[in-house]
Amino acid sequence: MPTLRIALAQVNSTVGDIAGNTAEIRRWSQAASEAGAHLVAFPEMMLTGYPIEDLVFRNSFVDASRRALRSLAADLAADGLGELAVVVGYVDADGPAAISSDATPGSGRRDASALLYRGEVVATYFKHHLPNYGVFDEDRYFEPGDALTVVRLGGVDVALTVCEDIWQAGGPFTAARRAGVGLVVNINASPYELNKDDVRLPLVQRRAAEAGATVAYVNMIGGQDELVFDGDSMIVGPDGSLLARAGQFTAELLVHDLDLPVAGTTPNQAGSTDAAKPPVEQEIADDMAIHRTVVEADLAALDGRRDGGVADRIADEAEVWAALVMGLRDYVDKNGFRSVVLGLSGGIDSAVVAAIAVDALGPERVTGVSLPSGYSSEHSKDDAADLAKRTGLNYRVEPIQPMVDAFLANLSLSGLAVENLQARVRGVILMALSNADGHLVLTTGNKSELAVGYSTLYGDSVGGFNPLKDVPKTMVWQLARWRNTQGEPPIPENSITKPPSAELRPDQKDSDSLPDYEVLDPIIKGYVDQDLGRAELIAAGNDPALVDRVLRLVDLAEYKRRQSAPGTKISGKAFGRDRRLPITNRFREGAGS
Amino acid sequence: MPTLRIALAQVNSTVGDIAGNTAEIRRWSQAASEAGAHLVAFPEMMLTGYPIEDLVFRNSFVDASRRALRSLAADLAADGLGELAVVVGYVDADGPAAISSDATPGSGRRDASALLYRGEVVATYFKHHLPNYGVFDEDRYFEPGDALTVVRLGGVDVALTVCEDIWQAGGPFTAARRAGVGLVVNINASPYELNKDDVRLPLVQRRAAEAGATVAYVNMIGGQDELVFDGDSMIVGPDGSLLARAGQFTAELLVHDLDLPVAGTTPNQAGSTDAAKPPVEQEIADDMAIHRTVVEADLAALDGRRDGGVADRIADEAEVWAALVMGLRDYVDKNGFRSVVLGLSGGIDSAVVAAIAVDALGPERVTGVSLPSGYSSEHSKDDAADLAKRTGLNYRVEPIQPMVDAFLANLSLSGLAVENLQARVRGVILMALSNADGHLVLTTGNKSELAVGYSTLYGDSVGGFNPLKDVPKTMVWQLARWRNTQGEPPIPENSITKPPSAELRPDQKDSDSLPDYEVLDPIIKGYVDQDLGRAELIAAGNDPALVDRVLRLVDLAEYKRRQSAPGTKISGKAFGRDRRLPITNRFREGAGS
């Protein structure tokens, strides 16, 4: 039984930065080679970044990806890494591409995996199952492959697959069983959701059973716009045993030795069924062709035995915090911002965003601005200053009253218009500081208040990135308490314990306008995240009057957003489902409709 | 040969307003009955509105659609319209739906057409070809049907199809030939693009030849968020002759008498080929089942002969103007706004938006605000006042200098930050008026300046709807000149002829920062709309230095938008392609990259 030393490169890539991604591949390939690996696998679309969306329709971009792949193979050989088999994701096209997104099916774009060896692209595989739900739109972008690629490497048959191929029964994994492979390499760009790691392991186990082979699953890390990727790469044996597993949100090379069957010796290849193998969950006909490539390679001798180990799982709060920190850091760094600015109200939301920003970027790249009005309480100002002191961020105070007074003296305004005016003056100041100093403006509204419209358009909603936009208020508190247990507490205790208030009029409290967050959040989750209707929410045990009140608030919030900012919908890409609703929508769930 | 009097109801529907859409169907069915029609056809998804996007994942919504269809059949009979066959689009599901958008394929949702007769749903058809390009994402929402529905009505075989079925060869139209039908009814929600009517007629002709049958094509009108539907319904004979055609952007009932073959007499049904029929463009195997329903109905005798006529095509400018007016009116009315407000600079963009708004809503529902600063020229203020007088809109003047001075006195700002501050103070004032009076704020930036980032985020970009966001500057001028030839000219000549300026610093002109719009617009069109790269743009005859300059501007504009408003991408839904680009994207087309 040959022993293959495999390295899974759980690393980061950046959309469009083909040169940077290529450098990253060469760097980690060097590390894999130094660890004695025979094969290193990189994530899906490593060369181009993921997701590339409509960039796929630009010929110059697809051509750049294809050219870069060939150059990479040559460069790796020039680096002295020719004997290392490198599996890498990229975008391919069937021929000289001349299409646009208006084309009818047949665009010829492929979400592809290639195996590079001795300076050549020796084999390619095109993703077969294309996800088209949640945050995925791959039916728009790609054509599915219909052949499995098997590479014989040092006497072991290795099948190449991509991401969604592992989420659906049938197709490549069934074909891999028929082909009798010893190893299936599955390269991924699988976005983080809370507790997604609990789903992945049983999934990889099912597919290993289906293929009757060891499965090596490698996933990327990093933030890309509203998505965050968490890694969690792993290797699972054909019997479902977890052989090795990487951490979450960590850049690492998971190196593990696998004893794999010699090619041609597995019973499946001869067409017989191996009763000793675990049963396949479902017998699914597959009509995939099998393309075989033989790489003439002697596997280098190994310096003892390498075990990748199984990394500990982390707590929910640690997982979410790590995702928020990574998502913000990558948004800032990949877009080339040097610094961020945010308003500090003394409340919990801006305090948590500031703590995330300082963890992500360091205090010297974060500016917090206290923007007090006549309605700001002393404790708010004190809590903002306390947070600044605890975190060490750059702190300044810009009272807003003179500007507010100028508007009030020249316009006849009352009630809500006056409340919103204060928030908008703050927005103008933050944007002016952004223009002057090049800061990215961070928004601090949590998902609960965004869902019910408890915010001011062009006011506290101003900003280029909002770490909390998919974090419900109850989880904001939970995160704050957890973070304060990790070393020096960054968040003032008073910001956590005091009743939340927008402070846009005297003695204002969130509870004047909203139900308690403990009862509000589950209804928002049901209505916004799970598409439950009124009857279903009541059947789930929520108070009917409360359900009606919250559904009215959410529907009205959609209306308020329409009034002023058509692009502004609630979206939950990082931690939930992408939500795509019509702006004009008269469907009402309320009683009697 | 039986004569079928068919009515195509080219009407409007509203997403989510099932009750309102139902009332519309009953009203137009009454009209069709009074015209003596045997069959009336309504557009795709008439019952629910189109597109419903993620609403399809809410069970309560799909259930409401299905219940409403059955009620509608009964209500039509109660209205005395039971003898009228009514074809109507709705959303269906295979069973009690219990899915979400995270589901893997098999959601069971259907984009459906039903034929109602004598109080019953006598037949249903599920759309076969699902578009998943441009503005369409139907693979996300629906499962394709795999059977053709044929209803024998008064001895004539009628096939039901939906929208995209007609845009692709093969499938239902091939099956219709095999089934030997006399008529194919194709119901549509086909969005407007410039000159799309030039594409539709040859398309319907090809499909009529493929089916060897008359094709009745009915399309909706109206605005839905960023989409506008233009109608252009038509009837084409099996020989490709255009028998009748409705207008563009008009609500109307196209009534036409068709002499159709008696069911069972067409050669195709017996399996033979009719050499006299026009050749099918491509022989395509179809494996669709054919579901036949026989409606026992005697066609009522006709009161003479009805010919729907062929409406004249309108000029390009008239077409675009009508689309902009309809899109704005429906956005305002369907969302329940009473009025709109916009800033009037005296320039061409705000003048054209004001003229569109007045045409759409009447002058009493439009408020124009002159917001002069110290840099505003006398002619700007005069031109704004002149426009107000010509159009009769509500006019007010709110000088911004006192508020700008308050900011400048309290913040240390210079250069671009001061320019942007003026635009943002204007935005705050417009939003305050919106809060106070409930106006929808209209944005006035044209596509050219949006593409190159020549606007201020949270400044002149403030607003809930921008009629010009997909209209290049050169077309803005073209539209203004055209509109001024239609009756009393609403737009001051000086606004059309003077050099464009943002007036944010002394003697500022657009030409200080941008190439001439005559050379800028073609490059934007190539890069943004057509996904052309640098080499392709140069090969198309554009000056290389200019291409590099414009590509840098467009890429930088994406960066500026990122800095402050992640949802704000250039999108061309109404008149071009939807564009979905990653926010974080380091791919650069510029020379040397």
Side-chain angles (χ1 to χ4, degrees):
Chain A
M1 221 174 211
T3 299
L4 194 73
R5 179 166 293 174
I6 185 170
L8 302 183
Q10 175 171 299
V11 298
N12 204 335
S13 61
T14 300
V15 165
D17 187 11
I18 295 177
N21 297 334
T22 300
E24 209 53 9
I25 296 166
R26 290 169 70 175
R27 191 165 75 85
W28 286 93
S29 294
Q30 187 69 51
S33 174
E34 285 163 11
H38 302 119
L39 181 151
V40 61
F42 288 89
E44 182 179 15
M45 294 269 186
M46 178 72 202
L47 205 53
T48 56
Y50 183 95
I52 56 173
E53 301 189 65
D54 278 13
L55 272 181
V56 80
F57 298 120
R58 206 179 295 167
N59 291 336
S60 53
F61 182 74
V62 176
D63 289 347
S65 167
R66 300 172 74 189
R67 276 200 312 273
L69 183 77
R70 292 190 297 272
S71 303
L72 173 64
D75 290 343
L76 285 167
D79 290 346
L81 304 173
E83 296 301 314
L84 177 68
V86 176
V87 175
V88 62
Y90 70 108
V91 60
D92 205 340
D94 292 349
I99 60 110
S100 80
S101 62
D102 284 324
T104 43
S107 73
R109 260 62 172 158
R110 308 287 192 168
D111 184 338
S113 175
L115 190 141
L116 314 181
Y117 189 72
R118 289 188 186 162
E120 301 288 334
V121 180
V122 298
T124 59
Y125 167 82
F126 299 150
K127 187 176 186 176
H128 177 70
H129 290 305
L130 300 174
N132 205 69
Y133 53 85
V135 300
F136 305 107
D137 291 293
E138 294 194 2
D139 281 342
R140 176 182 176 90
Y141 298 123
F142 301 111
E143 276 195 277
D146 55 6
L148 181 68
T149 296
V150 176
V151 181
R152 185 161 298 175
L153 180 75
V156 177
D157 275 345
V158 179
L160 304 183
T161 63
V162 180
C163 201
E164 185 77 6
D165 289 337
I166 207 166
W167 287 86
Q168 298 183 31
F173 282 80
T174 305
R177 167 175 285 257
R178 181 160 52 83
V181 305
L183 175 69
V184 181
V185 175
N186 181 248
I187 64 175
N188 291 265
S190 172
Y192 170 69
E193 290 169 27
L194 187 58
N195 302 132
K196 193 162 184 180
D197 54 334
D198 300 342
V199 179
R200 281 200 193 101
L201 176 56
L203 175 79
V204 178
Q205 288 170 323
R206 285 200 299 279
R207 223 53 74 216
E210 183 177 328
T214 297
V215 174
Y217 172 103
V218 60
N219 188 24
M220 66 180 280
I221 56 158
Q224 169 66 35
D225 300 346
E226 295 174 298
L227 298 178
V228 184
F229 301 89
D230 60 330
D232 191 27
S233 303
M234 68 183 86
I235 303 172
V236 170
D239 62 351
S241 56
L242 178 61
L243 303 177
R245 189 171 196 175
Q248 292 167 271
F249 306 103
T250 51
E252 62 180 282
L253 197 67
L254 184 69
V255 182
H256 192 83
D257 288 345
L258 290 169
D259 300 321
L260 296 169
V262 173
T265 62
T266 60
N268 290 305
Q269 193 166 10
S272 71
T273 306
D274 185 351
K277 288 201 175 179
V280 176
E281 63 179 7
Q282 193 182 351
E283 279 301 334
I284 295 160
D286 83 273
D287 55 357
M288 296 187 79
I290 296 172
H291 294 167
R292 293 180 183 273
T293 304
V294 177
V295 173
E296 298 296 346
D298 291 321
L299 299 184
L302 294 175
D303 52 349
R305 187 84 187 170
R306 284 289 289 261
D307 186 324
V310 175
D312 289 337
R313 301 294 92 192
I314 57 179
D316 283 358
E317 293 88 349
E319 197 178 287
V320 173
W321 192 270
L324 296 174
V325 167
M326 178 172 272
L328 174 60
R329 182 192 298 130
D330 275 3
Y331 191 87
V332 170
D333 287 343
K334 290 182 179 181
N335 283 313
F337 291 105
R338 288 182 310 274
S339 56
V340 298
V341 66
L342 75 161
L344 296 180
S345 70
I348 182 71
D349 297 325
S350 59
V352 167
V353 171
I356 291 167
V358 169
D359 281 1
L361 307 168
E364 67 286 350
R365 296 176 70 191
V366 181
T367 295
V369 189
S370 171
L371 298 152
S373 76
Y375 300 130
S376 297
S377 59
E378 280 309 312
H379 68 74
S380 289
K381 290 182 261 188
D382 293 347
D383 292 342
D386 185 18
L387 173 89
K389 199 172 149 204
R390 286 163 178 267
T391 56
L393 53 71
N394 306 298
Y395 184 62
R396 59 194 284 180
V397 180
E398 300 287 354
I400 65 169
Q401 209 58 47
M403 288 75 105
V404 172
D405 289 342
F407 281 98
L408 294 177
N410 287 279
L411 294 167
S412 162
L413 298 175
S414 61
L416 191 65
V418 176
E419 294 186 31
N420 285 335
L421 175 63
Q422 299 164 63
R424 292 194 181 113
V425 166
R426 291 185 174 119
V428 172
I429 293 173
L430 291 174
M431 287 305 300
L433 298 177
S434 167
N435 279 162
D437 300 332
H439 305 303
L440 170 71
V441 178
L442 298 183
T443 320
T444 62
N446 63 72
K447 181 174 187 164
S448 308
E449 66 182 33
L450 291 176
V452 296
Y454 199 68
S455 78
T456 301
L457 288 163
Y458 308 113
D460 53 314
S461 70
V462 158
F465 194 86
N466 179 359
L468 299 185
K469 82 179 169 46
D470 205 31
V471 182
K473 184 81 174 190
T474 48
M475 188 183 276
V476 174
W477 277 308
Q478 198 182 333
L479 289 173
R481 290 196 192 92
W482 172 85
R483 180 60 185 83
N484 270 1
T485 67
Q486 309 293 306
E488 283 297 305
I491 299 163
E493 188 61 21
N494 196 41
S495 295
I496 303 177
T497 52
K498 68 184 172 187
S501 164
E503 295 196 333
L504 294 173
R505 61 171 188 262
D507 299 322
Q508 185 177 31
K509 296 275 177 296
D510 288 15
S511 53
D512 302 342
S513 309
L514 303 178
D516 283 350
Y517 288 107
E518 284 70 22
V519 292
L520 178 63
D521 281 354
I523 298 176
I524 291 173
K525 180 173 181 173
Y527 190 51
V528 173
D529 294 355
Q530 301 175 322
D531 287 317
L532 300 180
R534 178 177 182 271
E536 293 159 303
L537 288 163
I538 293 169
N542 294 293
D543 175 66
L546 196 61
V547 167
D548 286 337
R549 184 176 167 204
V550 174
L551 266 47
R552 262 195 305 272
L553 284 169
V554 173
D555 289 346
L556 184 63
E558 304 268 1
Y559 175 84
K560 279 176 55 182
R561 274 188 289 273
R562 276 197 299 274
Q563 183 169 356
S564 312
T568 317
K569 305 182 189 181
I570 312 173
S571 152
K573 274 194 173 180
F575 298 99
R577 269 212 352 259
D578 189 20
R579 192 162 179 255
R580 304 179 190 172
L581 286 179
I583 301 171
T584 304
N585 166 24
R586 290 219 193 137
F587 186 60
R588 292 292 171 267
E589 288 277 350
S593 71
Chain B
M1 221 173 210
T3 299
L4 193 74
R5 178 167 294 174
I6 186 170
L8 302 183
Q10 176 171 299
V11 298
N12 204 333
S13 62
T14 300
V15 164
D17 188 10
I18 296 178
N21 297 335
T22 300
E24 207 57 5
I25 296 167
R26 291 168 71 176
R27 190 166 76 85
W28 286 94
S29 294
Q30 187 72 51
S33 175
E34 285 164 10
H38 301 120
L39 181 150
V40 61
F42 289 90
E44 182 179 16
M45 293 269 185
M46 178 72 202
L47 206 53
T48 56
Y50 183 94
I52 56 174
E53 301 189 64
D54 278 13
L55 272 181
V56 79
F57 297 122
R58 206 179 293 167
N59 291 336
S60 52
F61 182 74
V62 176
D63 289 348
S65 167
R66 300 172 74 190
R67 276 201 312 275
L69 183 77
R70 292 191 297 273
S71 302
L72 174 63
D75 289 344
L76 286 166
D79 291 346
L81 305 172
E83 296 302 314
L84 177 68
V86 176
V87 174
V88 62
Y90 70 107
V91 60
D92 205 340
D94 292 349
I99 59 108
S100 80
S101 62
D102 284 324
T104 43
S107 73
R109 260 63 172 156
R110 307 288 192 168
D111 184 339
S113 175
L115 189 143
L116 314 181
Y117 189 71
R118 288 187 185 163
E120 303 286 335
V121 180
V122 300
T124 59
Y125 166 81
F126 298 150
K127 186 176 188 176
H128 178 70
H129 290 305
L130 300 175
N132 206 69
Y133 54 85
V135 301
F136 305 108
D137 291 293
E138 294 195 2
D139 281 341
R140 176 182 175 90
Y141 299 123
F142 302 110
E143 277 194 276
D146 55 6
L148 181 69
T149 296
V150 176
V151 180
R152 185 162 298 175
L153 179 76
V156 176
D157 276 345
V158 179
L160 304 183
T161 62
V162 180
C163 202
E164 185 77 6
D165 289 337
I166 207 165
W167 287 85
Q168 297 182 32
F173 283 80
T174 305
R177 166 176 284 258
R178 181 160 51 84
V181 306
L183 176 67
V184 181
V185 175
N186 181 248
I187 64 175
N188 290 265
S190 173
Y192 170 69
E193 290 169 26
L194 187 59
N195 301 132
K196 193 162 183 180
D197 54 334
D198 299 342
V199 178
R200 281 200 193 101
L201 175 58
L203 176 79
V204 178
Q205 288 170 323
R206 284 200 299 279
R207 224 53 74 215
E210 182 177 330
T214 298
V215 173
Y217 173 102
V218 59
N219 188 24
M220 65 180 281
I221 56 157
Q224 169 67 35
D225 301 345
E226 294 173 297
L227 299 178
V228 183
F229 301 89
D230 59 330
D232 191 28
S233 304
M234 66 183 85
I235 303 173
V236 170
D239 62 350
S241 56
L242 177 61
L243 303 176
R245 189 171 196 176
Q248 291 168 272
F249 305 103
T250 52
E252 62 180 280
L253 197 67
L254 184 69
V255 182
H256 192 83
D257 289 344
L258 290 168
D259 300 321
L260 296 170
V262 174
T265 63
T266 60
N268 290 305
Q269 194 165 9
S272 72
T273 306
D274 185 351
K277 288 199 174 180
V280 176
E281 62 180 7
Q282 192 181 351
E283 279 300 335
I284 294 160
D286 84 273
D287 55 357
M288 296 188 78
I290 296 172
H291 293 168
R292 292 180 183 274
T293 304
V294 177
V295 173
E296 297 297 346
D298 292 321
L299 299 185
L302 295 173
D303 52 347
R305 188 82 187 171
R306 285 288 291 260
D307 186 323
V310 175
D312 288 338
R313 301 294 91 194
I314 57 180
D316 283 358
E317 293 88 349
E319 198 179 285
V320 173
W321 191 270
L324 296 174
V325 167
M326 178 171 273
L328 174 60
R329 182 192 296 130
D330 274 4
Y331 192 86
V332 170
D333 287 344
K334 291 181 178 182
N335 283 312
F337 292 105
R338 289 181 310 274
S339 57
V340 299
V341 66
L342 76 160
L344 296 181
S345 70
I348 182 71
D349 297 325
S350 59
V352 167
V353 171
I356 291 168
V358 169
D359 281 1
L361 307 168
E364 67 287 349
R365 296 176 70 189
V366 181
T367 295
V369 190
S370 170
L371 297 152
S373 76
Y375 300 130
S376 297
S377 59
E378 280 311 311
H379 67 72
S380 290
K381 290 182 263 189
D382 293 347
D383 292 341
D386 185 19
L387 173 89
K389 198 171 152 205
R390 286 162 178 268
T391 57
L393 53 73
N394 306 298
Y395 184 61
R396 58 194 285 182
V397 180
E398 301 285 354
I400 65 169
Q401 209 58 48
M403 289 75 104
V404 171
D405 289 342
F407 280 98
L408 293 177
N410 287 278
L411 293 168
S412 163
L413 299 175
S414 62
L416 191 64
V418 176
E419 294 185 32
N420 285 333
L421 175 63
Q422 300 164 62
R424 292 196 180 111
V425 166
R426 291 185 174 120
V428 172
I429 293 173
L430 291 174
M431 286 305 299
L433 297 177
S434 167
N435 279 162
D437 299 332
H439 305 302
L440 170 71
V441 178
L442 298 184
T443 320
T444 61
N446 64 72
K447 181 173 188 165
S448 308
E449 67 183 31
L450 291 176
V452 295
Y454 199 67
S455 77
T456 301
L457 288 162
Y458 308 113
D460 54 313
S461 71
V462 158
F465 195 87
N466 179 359
L468 299 186
K469 82 178 170 44
D470 204 31
V471 182
K473 185 81 174 189
T474 47
M475 188 184 278
V476 174
W477 277 308
Q478 197 181 335
L479 289 173
R481 290 196 191 91
W482 173 84
R483 180 60 185 83
N484 270 3
T485 66
Q486 309 292 306
E488 282 296 305
I491 299 163
E493 189 61 21
N494 196 41
S495 296
I496 302 178
T497 52
K498 69 183 171 187
S501 165
E503 294 196 334
L504 294 174
R505 62 172 187 261
D507 299 322
Q508 186 177 31
K509 296 274 177 298
D510 289 14
S511 53
D512 302 341
S513 310
L514 303 177
D516 282 350
Y517 289 108
E518 284 68 23
V519 291
L520 178 62
D521 281 353
I523 298 176
I524 291 175
K525 180 173 181 174
Y527 190 51
V528 173
D529 294 356
Q530 300 175 322
D531 288 317
L532 300 180
R534 177 177 183 273
E536 293 159 304
L537 287 163
I538 292 170
N542 294 292
D543 175 66
L546 196 61
V547 167
D548 286 337
R549 181 176 170 205
V550 174
L551 266 47
R552 261 195 306 274
L553 285 170
V554 172
D555 289 345
L556 184 63
E558 304 268 2
Y559 175 84
K560 281 176 55 182
R561 275 189 289 275
R562 276 196 301 273
Q563 184 169 356
S564 312
T568 317
K569 304 182 189 180
I570 313 174
S571 152
K573 273 192 171 181
F575 298 98
R577 267 214 353 260
D578 188 20
R579 191 161 179 255
R580 304 180 190 171
L581 286 179
I583 301 171
T584 305
N585 167 24
R586 290 218 194 138
F587 187 61
R588 292 291 170 270
E589 289 277 350
S593 72

